[in-house]
Amino acid sequence: MTLCILKYKNMLLENKKVAIIGGGPVGLTMARLLQQKGSHVAVYERDSNPLSRIWGGTLDLHKHSGQKAMKMAGLLEEYYRVALPMGINVTDKNGTIIYSKTPTTENKFENPEINRNDLRKLLIGSLKPETVFWDNKILEVKVYNGKWLLHVEDKPYTTADVVIVANGGMSKIRRYVTDAEPEETGTYIIQGDVDNPEINCSEFYKLCNGNRLMCADNGTLIVANPYNNGVLTYGIILRKPEGYQNINHVNFGSPNNIRRFLTEKFHGWNQTFRELINATTFYAVLHTRKLPLDQPWKNNRPLPITLIGDAAHLMPPFAGQGVNSGLMDALILSDNLTDGKFETIEAAVSDYEEQMFNYAAEAQKASSENEMEMRSPNFSFQKLLHL
């Protein structure tokens, strides 16, 4: 009886192939949730292999969104095992701690931090062999003989019945769904990595004391995490100067020039912060962007296709909502496609998109409000953290 019910509930995707474009946390979670219900899923990821390092800060999954998806995927306990509960140290520019909070037994699972590669490893381990096709960059999709034809760079074409686009905020595949384009928000982030921080920036590492460190002064903000799989990762949040479109007043192609630029920015700050900058081994410059959700998506799609994650609702990373909203996308869409409530795939997708527009718009709003607050010369992390 149980097997019959499961088969009935998954009738929408019976004998259909679902292609997920993008092997980030949202795409892989989507694959896991669909495979649990017996769906035929293939994930196409441009990274060369599962060990390719994903640069970026750690991720924290929230109780009522990201963790909810992990629970449905049967991976919540594994997430708790791998993730690291972390506290917060807020300092002033002199390196004086003005607020500190450490995890407790009661709150340690609220939103522990997980390295991006560790999360990918966890998710890949939950999938059937040969679900993810590595070194497969999808250049375009088009309709051919009643199916989606996926053009893979330097490889043969492949086909699918349903396409789920999860390849990030700068996706080129979403034209079948929306004409919206990402917009810059006026902020940029210089991200840095320090290898062996306990040796190479020992004073800053001690100042963190095992917690994330946050500091703001006159519109310059820094957020650092000393534990990112052996690397200390930090982001410096800056407002773009008025009157120019691109960040070209500094040659960001040169680490030495970035270092000089940041050293000038941190003039007057404690030497500990300059030690951090001088020890940095890797830099990346991120323009903060958002994908507007103020226009309806196209309803004349030739075959089932939709967007999840940043491809659907890219937002500034200032409320911790990006990946969590994306995991909610995967949870709702996978449920709609497999729970037997909808008569067509199109109806299941439409219902998901209607829900997504509501919670993603709220998340974007919170992110944007935090961004505007953070760009104020009088900003303090105490206010953001409601301390």
Side-chain angles (χ1 to χ4, degrees):
M1 175 67 75
T2 302
L3 291 177
C4 292
I5 292 173
L6 287 175
K7 184 177 180 181
Y8 168 75
K9 283 190 172 184
N10 202 23
M11 288 286 286
L12 288 183
L13 296 182
E14 190 174 24
N15 299 321
K16 295 189 183 298
K17 177 183 174 182
V18 179
I20 299 173
I21 302 175
V26 175
L28 293 174
T29 300
M30 186 76 207
R32 165 66 175 177
L33 292 168
L34 288 178
Q35 275 193 351
Q36 284 181 307
K37 301 295 182 67
S39 302
H40 179 199
V41 182
V43 179
Y44 299 93
E45 169 54 44
R46 66 180 181 179
D47 279 355
S48 58
N49 61 68
L51 299 179
S52 298
R53 181 174 182 267
I54 310 171
W55 59 267
T58 53
L59 299 171
D60 63 310
L61 307 187
H62 298 175
K63 276 281 186 185
H64 302 293
S65 51
Q67 290 190 34
K68 191 175 178 181
M70 287 292 103
K71 183 176 181 179
M72 187 60 68
L75 300 172
L76 185 59
E77 292 304 317
E78 185 70 4
Y79 163 67
Y80 286 155
R81 186 186 68 79
V82 176
L84 180 65
M86 295 194 73
I88 299 170
N89 280 354
V90 179
T91 78
D92 61 19
K93 70 175 185 177
N94 299 314
T96 302
I97 294 177
I98 54 181
Y99 175 82
S100 185
K101 179 181 179 181
T102 56
T104 65
T105 303
E106 291 74 25
N107 66 20
K108 66 179 181 178
F109 293 139
E110 284 186 2
N111 55 343
E113 305 276 342
I114 188 168
N115 172 269
R116 293 167 186 259
N117 277 88
D118 287 343
L119 181 57
R120 172 182 273 183
K121 182 179 178 181
L122 185 158
L123 289 165
I124 292 171
S126 73
L127 298 173
K128 295 178 181 178
E130 299 183 5
T131 296
V132 184
F133 294 86
W134 300 98
D135 194 23
N136 272 249
K137 181 180 179 180
I138 304 296
L139 300 179
E140 65 173 346
V141 299
K142 56 186 178 182
V143 177
Y144 181 76
N145 281 349
K147 289 185 179 291
W148 286 110
L149 192 66
L150 282 63
H151 180 192
V152 187
E153 185 176 50
D154 299 327
K155 290 182 174 62
Y157 282 80
T158 188
T159 62
D161 300 286
V162 180
V163 170
I164 299 173
V165 182
N167 63 340
M170 304 308 291
S171 174
K172 304 298 183 186
I173 311 296
R174 61 170 158 244
R175 64 185 178 87
Y176 279 103
V177 180
T178 176
D179 292 322
E181 294 288 341
E183 301 172 348
E184 294 194 13
T185 66
T187 301
Y188 66 103
I189 302 171
I190 299 178
Q191 182 177 298
D193 288 353
V194 179
D195 295 327
N196 302 312
E198 65 279 7
I199 298 170
N200 294 321
C201 61
S202 58
E203 291 304 312
F204 188 88
Y205 185 78
K206 290 175 187 175
L207 187 61
C208 294
N209 194 28
N211 295 325
R212 290 171 293 159
L213 186 141
M214 302 178 177
C215 185
D217 183 75
N218 196 31
T220 298
L221 295 75
I222 182 168
V223 180
N225 183 337
Y227 298 139
N228 190 2
N229 219 15
V231 174
L232 186 151
T233 302
Y234 67 89
I236 297 172
I237 302 159
L238 299 162
R239 179 177 181 171
K240 287 186 182 179
E242 300 291 340
Y244 77 98
Q245 298 299 315
N246 298 309
I247 307 173
N248 54 15
H249 63 302
V250 175
N251 178 7
F252 283 119
S254 164
N256 286 334
N257 283 352
I258 296 176
R259 195 171 289 112
R260 282 194 291 269
F261 170 73
L262 291 178
T263 299
E264 182 178 337
K265 274 286 180 186
F266 282 84
H267 176 74
W269 290 50
N270 185 273
Q271 174 62 30
T272 304
F273 293 94
R274 295 195 293 279
E275 175 197 55
L276 174 72
I277 293 165
N278 289 329
T280 301
T281 53
F282 170 85
Y283 285 110
V285 180
L286 311 176
H287 304 245
T288 64
R289 300 180 172 95
K290 68 176 181 179
L291 188 70
L293 292 172
D294 56 359
Q295 57 182 294
W297 285 359
K298 298 176 182 179
N299 57 16
N300 59 342
R301 302 167 213 176
L303 291 171
I305 183 171
T306 191
L307 314 175
I308 60 175
D310 284 350
H313 44 64
L314 179 66
M315 65 189 74
F318 302 126
Q321 298 281 14
V323 70
N324 287 287
S325 296
L327 292 175
M328 281 300 297
D329 300 345
L331 181 61
I332 293 169
L333 179 58
S334 64
D335 191 49
N336 279 9
L337 289 170
T338 59
D339 69 359
K341 291 189 299 187
F342 297 93
E343 294 186 2
T344 65
I345 295 175
E346 289 79 4
V349 168
S350 178
D351 179 82
Y352 147 69
E353 291 176 358
E354 182 178 350
Q355 293 186 61
M356 180 275 295
F357 261 72
N358 289 324
Y359 61 76
E362 285 297 314
Q364 277 193 349
K365 182 173 180 288
S367 297
S368 296
E369 288 174 351
N370 283 352
E371 179 180 12
M372 294 304 295
E373 179 69 26
M374 293 169 84
R375 281 163 40 176
S376 166
N378 300 317
F379 170 79
S380 70
F381 277 109
Q382 296 97 305
K383 183 176 180 180
L384 180 65
L385 298 168
H386 306 294
L387 307 180

